[in-house]
């Protein structure tokens, strides 16, 4: 009997893929860091029992059909699943698995790094030093925002939002949050106030951090009008998904000084970054690094390989989506 084939859409360390071969599966892995085109994906997926995809591979009905009726599982190397047509997977009986929990701390650390870098204007400082234009300490040089006593608004107090809030508490920040339903169990230890109304949260947030999933309802959650509800001088941090924010409106709000800065890990049309953002001094721009630590990426790989093996054995892993 021929071994079931797993198609891995991107280059990954051999050791991280090893559990698949150890389970007797035939691994066909793309050899590059760059995404394959949709046509290449469809060709390589044909006949696969499992697809191990990345957050920038669109898993749509065309790809599922190209893979064929033998496809049993799609494992995404991400917690976010906005790139996957979940309904199309369900219709075809394809199980979708993702990587929750293991990337919570790494992503929260990065959100905090962006927050601190934006608040203390580190990119501007680095450019000043690198340019050779720094003439020495000066009383009003690159003054930033102090965090103690300021309010962090958290949109989505889920795993990552709560982990960011915990870190911010250690910096003396107050926490307020918004999501569809209050989570007193999560909020109580953070002494976090619930705002049922997103716009009320915006109005009181000195720093806003986004941790909502990207869905048709949350696209441009922060549009031009809502960005202006943030207090003048506020900071925005986004480690969730770029399209939650209207990037052109964000550029305007930063350009005219309504916002004091932003720390961004995600963009509306990755890897394209709005040219207006590139031209602004007071933004910190990271290339979608939220989960990018060795420990986390290794743990994410283990979740994917274990889940693929489990589904192909007829089991339902804990990280399968409903
Ligand atoms: C995810 O897993 O969805 C994150 O965006 C990766 O950094």
């Amino acid at each position: 009997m021929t071994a079931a084939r797993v198609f891995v859409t991107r280059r990954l360390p051999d050791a991280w893929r090893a559990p698949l071969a150890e389970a007797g599966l035939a691994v066909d892995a793309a050899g590059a860091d760059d995404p394959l085109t949709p046509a290449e994906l469809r060709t390589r997926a044909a006949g696969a029992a499992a697809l191990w995809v990345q957050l920038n591979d669109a898993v749509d009905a065309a790809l599922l059909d190209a893979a064929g009726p033998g496809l049993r599982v799609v494992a995404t190397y991400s917690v976010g699943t906005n790139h996957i047509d979940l309904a199309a997977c369900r219709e075809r009986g394809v199980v979708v698995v993702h990587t929750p929990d293991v990337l919570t701390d790494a992503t929260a650390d990065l959100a905090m790094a962006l927050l601190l870098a934006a608040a203390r204007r580190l990119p501007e400082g680095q450019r000043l030093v690198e340019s050779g234009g720094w003439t020495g300490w000066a009383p009003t040089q690159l003054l930033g925002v102090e965090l103690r006593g300021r309010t962090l608004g958290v949109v989505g107090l889920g795993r990552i939002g709560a982990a960011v809030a915990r870190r911010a508490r250690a910096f003396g920040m107050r926490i307020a949050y918004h999501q569809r339903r209050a989570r007193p169990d999560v909020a109580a230890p953070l002494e976090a106030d619930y705002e049922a109304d997103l716009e009320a949260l915006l109005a009181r947030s000195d720093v806003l951090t986004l941790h909502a999933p990207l869905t048709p309802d949350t696209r441009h959650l922060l549009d031009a009008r809502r960005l202006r509800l943030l207090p003048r001088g506020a900071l925005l941090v986004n480690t969730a998904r770029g399209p939650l924010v209207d990037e052109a409106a964000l550029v305007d709000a930063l350009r005219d000084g309504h916002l004091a800065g932003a720390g961004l890990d995600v963009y509306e049309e990755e890897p394209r970054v709005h040219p207006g953002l590139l031209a602004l001094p007071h933004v910190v721009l990271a290339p979608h690094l939220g989960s990018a630590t060795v420990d986390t990426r290794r743990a994410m790989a283990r979740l994917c390989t274990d889940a693929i093996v489990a589904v192909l054995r007829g089991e339902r892993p804990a990280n399968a989506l409903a």
Side-chain angles (χ1 to χ4, degrees):
M1 208 170 80
T2 51
R5 190 164 72 86
V6 182
F7 171 46
V8 187
T9 64
R10 218 62 57 81
R11 188 173 70 82
L12 281 156
D14 289 347
W16 297 5
R17 296 193 268 110
L20 297 173
E22 284 159 14
L25 301 170
V27 180
D28 169 23
D33 281 335
D34 290 335
L36 298 176
T37 65
E40 288 167 335
L41 277 179
R42 288 195 292 274
T43 305
R44 297 282 294 267
L51 302 180
W52 180 351
V53 303
Q54 326 300 318
L55 56 81
N56 43 7
D57 297 324
V59 180
D60 52 16
L63 180 62
L64 299 172
D65 290 341
L71 182 66
R72 311 251 310 271
V73 52
V74 171
T76 181
Y77 198 47
S78 62
V79 68
T81 56
N82 53 288
H83 53 298
I84 300 177
D85 184 338
L86 296 175
C89 290
R90 252 191 317 271
E91 277 163 25
R92 290 160 180 78
V94 174
V95 178
V96 177
V97 301
H98 68 150
T99 62
D101 298 317
V102 294
L103 48 62
T104 299
D105 284 325
T107 307
D109 286 351
L110 189 84
M112 217 49 216
L114 292 172
L115 196 172
L116 288 165
R120 300 304 300 274
R121 305 177 62 180
L122 288 185
E124 290 167 87
Q126 175 150 359
R127 275 192 292 271
L128 181 63
V129 173
E130 283 174 350
S131 72
W134 185 43
T135 52
W137 187 93
T140 59
Q141 193 170 61
L142 291 181
L143 301 184
V145 175
E146 188 109 9
L147 298 184
R148 180 163 300 278
R150 294 263 152 64
T151 297
L152 177 72
V154 183
V155 178
L157 197 69
R159 287 176 286 245
I160 298 173
V164 175
R166 274 195 296 280
R167 285 156 174 74
R169 288 287 290 162
F171 283 81
M173 298 190 82
R174 300 180 218 277
I175 312 297
Y177 74 104
H178 165 80
Q179 58 192 25
R180 230 175 284 159
R181 249 162 297 161
R183 283 291 307 269
D185 52 327
V186 181
L190 299 165
E191 297 179 71
D193 293 343
Y194 178 59
E195 287 288 1
D197 177 9
L198 170 63
E199 300 191 352
L201 179 81
L202 299 182
R204 64 183 286 198
S205 296
D206 300 304
V207 181
L208 189 78
T209 184
L210 300 179
H211 302 287
L214 176 62
T215 67
D217 290 341
T218 60
R219 183 171 292 274
H220 285 191
L221 188 72
L222 284 192
D223 57 12
R225 189 183 66 80
R226 283 186 168 156
L227 281 165
R228 301 281 161 178
L229 296 179
L230 286 162
R232 193 169 180 81
L235 301 168
L236 173 69
V237 175
N238 190 3
T239 53
R241 286 292 180 267
L244 294 175
V245 182
D246 178 340
E247 224 164 61
L250 174 62
V251 169
D252 289 343
L254 287 161
R255 204 180 265 150
D256 68 20
H258 185 77
L259 296 184
L264 305 175
D265 190 40
V266 290
Y267 306 90
E268 264 202 86
E269 291 172 32
E270 295 178 14
R272 179 184 172 274
V273 176
H274 192 294
L277 288 175
L278 297 174
L280 289 168
H282 49 316
V283 292
V284 191
L285 305 173
H288 205 146
L289 294 177
S291 63
T293 70
V294 174
D295 292 348
T296 291
R297 289 280 165 86
R298 188 188 288 121
M300 290 165 69
R302 190 74 213 201
L303 276 184
C304 287
T305 55
D306 286 357
I308 289 170
V309 171
V311 174
L312 296 182
R313 282 187 183 144
E315 298 156 16
R316 189 167 177 87
N319 54 329
L321 293 164

